[in-house]
Amino acid sequence: MMIRSYISRDCREMAELFYQTVHTVNARDYAPEQLDAWANGKVNLEQWDASFRSHTTLVEERDGVIAGFADMDGTGYLDRLYVHKDYQGQGIATALCDALELAVPSRCYTTHASITARGFFEKRGYRAVKEQQVERQGVKLTNFVMEKKR
């Protein structure tokens, strides 16, 4: 297991990981049209790269493959956390979150968790503040605003 800082050349592989993860791992909790709205395969790599560079962004690499990534802004908001579909259940998400929480001190960590990820965050000490419907490309998706106070 090797966690390292993000570099711009990671962006394309991370966008593909994002798409594949959403369309496989999240398929048990969301309908196909919701998955397509969430991850349509058309990430603006320039915008994603700028966002990753403005946040603390960590990458878990195994055998030269990005197995997971996560990013957090300076306020403690965990923006993205995705683990490759072939590396689920191996502690990658936990390791990434642990490393981010050490790197970004905050009194309160927050995230918008999918139905799929809610249980993971609850095990980490987060609590759901509210359930919400977000709209992507005219399609509604349920997620949860979650927080973890120190």
Side-chain angles (χ1 to χ4, degrees), residues 29-104:
D29 296 308
Y30 295 91
E33 61 273 7
Q34 291 174 309
L35 300 173
D36 289 339
W38 182 354
N40 65 9
K42 298 175 186 163
V43 169
N44 182 319
L45 294 176
E46 210 171 275
Q47 287 178 350
W48 261 38
D49 179 53
S51 175
F52 287 138
R53 286 185 290 109
S54 72
H55 294 169
T56 300
T57 303
L58 300 176
V59 172
E60 162 75 29
E61 193 173 332
R62 292 194 179 179
D63 302 320
V65 173
I66 294 176
F69 68 90
D71 66 306
M72 185 177 280
D73 73 14
T75 70
Y77 174 69
L78 179 65
D79 192 2
R80 289 161 285 212
L81 171 63
Y82 292 93
V83 174
H84 191 290
K85 64 183 178 63
D86 297 335
Y87 293 92
Q88 295 286 310
Q90 298 181 27
I92 294 168
T94 297
L96 287 166
C97 285
D98 288 348
L100 282 174
E101 289 176 8
L102 282 173
V104 183

Side-chain angles (χ1 to χ4, degrees), residues 126-150:
Y126 284 72
R127 67 176 187 85
V129 176
K130 76 174 185 174
E131 180 176 327
Q132 64 183 6
Q133 298 288 311
V134 294
E135 190 172 314
R136 298 282 183 268
Q137 300 180 37
V139 177
K140 292 198 186 269
L141 300 138
T142 299
N143 73 15
F144 302 89
V145 176
M146 300 188 76
E147 69 179 17
K148 175 183 175 182
K149 294 190 177 180
R150 278 194 145 173

